Amino acid sequence: MCSVAFSPDGRQIVSGSSSIEIHDTDTGQLIRTFSYRPEFIRSVAFSPDGRQIVSGSTDRTVRLWNVITGNEIRTFSGHSNNVSSVAFSPNGRQIVSGSEDGTIRLWDAVTGNEIRAFRIFNPVDSVSFNPDGSTILCDDSISLEIWDIVTGNKIRTFRGHRNGVKAAVFSPDGRQIVSCSADKTVRLWDVVTGNEIRTFSGHSSYVVSVAFSPDGKYIASGSKDHTLKIWDIDTGHLVKSLRHSSSVDSIAFSPNGRQILSGSGDEAIRLWDISDINNLNSDK
């Protein structure tokens, strides 16, 4: 597995696998390798201001890093099993982490204090904030859940997948959710009603990564079938299919939506030009 993410300005790429590295998006040049050798990095993310990176690892820790110096700022300890997913809140003041220990933990990014723990009980593969930072989305076996960060209460459960959910994220406007599963499907949900809007079928194996385009018009999905697929949200049509040599474990759209980044089980990072997707879609 290789986790990847763009910096907020799109000029840098961070990847996590056996190490954490930052590359220049345009040249591909390695800018920095962080002096940290965990068992394995499961998740990485840039802070909204691009000055920090958070990582989650099989050493059960969440760590905060300075992008410029490469120095570790802080370690967040509390999980009792692998940390599968990490994310910054939109204002950068909080970090959420999900773990195979069956918990989600909310952290103060400045002090390092744990704010709240959410008991999911099943191993958690994916966590993310909604656009205003008021709620957290996570997987719970074959369902999805939204939690209120202030009260700690569960707000809504989404059911429909027939096998374990592997990843889920909010749309840029927060009105929809996309999820993927070991049932080989990608599903689109209405946040307010909890209803399923559409199912995207076409992968031949587990789907393990999903992302919304910045304009909210497209969904990308990565699968164990070695493909990265881009779908039109409104029609459900497959717009583009790209192939890796191994499982596509992590994907991210560039901030301008013209490129997509993928991280693979072979630890390869690939940057794809998808500036033609609007033209391809108009031909459908």
Side-chain angles (χ1 to χ4, degrees):
M1 178 179 180
C2 181
S3 177
V4 293
F6 278 101
S7 61
D9 62 8
R11 297 174 63 183
Q12 295 181 335
I13 291 165
V14 63
S15 62
S17 53
S18 56
S19 64
I20 302 173
E21 296 180 346
I22 297 179
H23 288 82
D24 183 277
T25 303
D26 289 336
T27 66
Q29 181 178 354
L30 177 64
I31 298 172
R32 179 166 290 104
T33 300
F34 292 74
S35 56
Y36 170 48
R37 291 292 182 272
E39 295 173 27
F40 212 79
I41 300 291
R42 295 285 298 274
S43 182
V44 289
F46 272 98
S47 61
D49 64 8
R51 298 170 64 184
Q52 297 175 333
I53 287 169
V54 64
S55 64
S57 170
T58 54
D59 67 5
R60 306 176 183 182
T61 67
V62 176
R63 295 175 190 254
L64 189 64
W65 306 88
N66 183 296
V67 170
I68 301 299
T69 65
N71 293 333
E72 182 181 327
I73 300 170
R74 183 170 292 108
T75 298
F76 305 81
S77 299
H79 284 295
S80 60
N81 207 329
N82 300 337
V83 179
S84 306
S85 182
V86 291
F88 274 98
S89 63
N91 63 13
R93 297 174 185 171
Q94 296 170 327
I95 290 167
V96 65
S97 57
S99 168
E100 292 179 8
D101 65 11
T103 69
I104 296 170
R105 296 179 188 269
L106 184 66
W107 312 88
D108 186 304
V110 177
T111 66
N113 294 332
E114 182 181 308
I115 300 170
R116 187 181 300 278
F118 305 80
R119 304 291 174 182
I120 310 301
F121 299 107
N122 287 305
V124 177
D125 284 321
S126 174
V127 291
S128 59
F129 282 95
N130 73 333
D132 69 12
S134 63
T135 62
I136 292 168
L137 172 66
C138 73
D139 64 287
D140 182 3
S141 184
I142 63 172
S143 64
L144 305 167
E145 296 175 348
I146 296 178
W147 294 79
D148 186 287
I149 69 166
V150 175
T151 65
N153 294 330
K154 187 193 303 183
I155 299 172
R156 183 162 286 109
T157 300
F158 303 79
R159 295 183 176 92
H161 282 293
R162 298 179 180 179
N163 207 332
V165 175
K166 297 300 180 183
V169 291
F170 283 97
S171 61
D173 63 8
R175 298 171 62 184
Q176 297 175 329
I177 287 168
V178 65
S179 62
C180 63
S181 165
D183 66 11
K184 307 177 186 178
T185 69
V186 177
R187 298 177 191 243
L188 186 67
W189 310 85
D190 184 287
V191 169
V192 175
T193 66
N195 294 333
E196 182 181 323
I197 300 170
R198 180 170 286 111
T199 298
F200 304 81
S201 300
H203 285 291
S204 60
S205 187
Y206 292 8
V207 190
V208 294
S209 52
V210 286
F212 274 98
S213 62
D215 61 10
K217 294 180 180 180
Y218 300 98
I219 289 168
S221 57
S223 170
K224 295 288 185 183
D225 66 10
H226 301 185
T227 67
L228 188 168
K229 297 182 185 295
I230 301 175
W231 312 83
D232 181 277
I233 288 179
D234 290 335
T235 66
H237 291 159
L238 177 64
V239 179
K240 200 176 190 70
S241 186
L242 305 165
R243 179 163 288 276
H244 263 269
S245 59
S246 187
S247 171
V248 183
D249 294 326
S250 180
I251 52 180
F253 281 93
S254 62
N256 63 15
R258 297 174 184 172
Q259 298 170 318
I260 194 164
L261 182 65
S262 56
S264 175
D266 59 10
E267 297 194 29
I269 305 165
R270 288 177 169 83
L271 183 64
W272 310 85
D273 183 344
I274 56 166
S275 56
D276 62 346
I277 59 173
N278 287 318
N279 293 332
L280 289 171
N281 200 33
S282 65
D283 294 335
K284 295 290 183 182

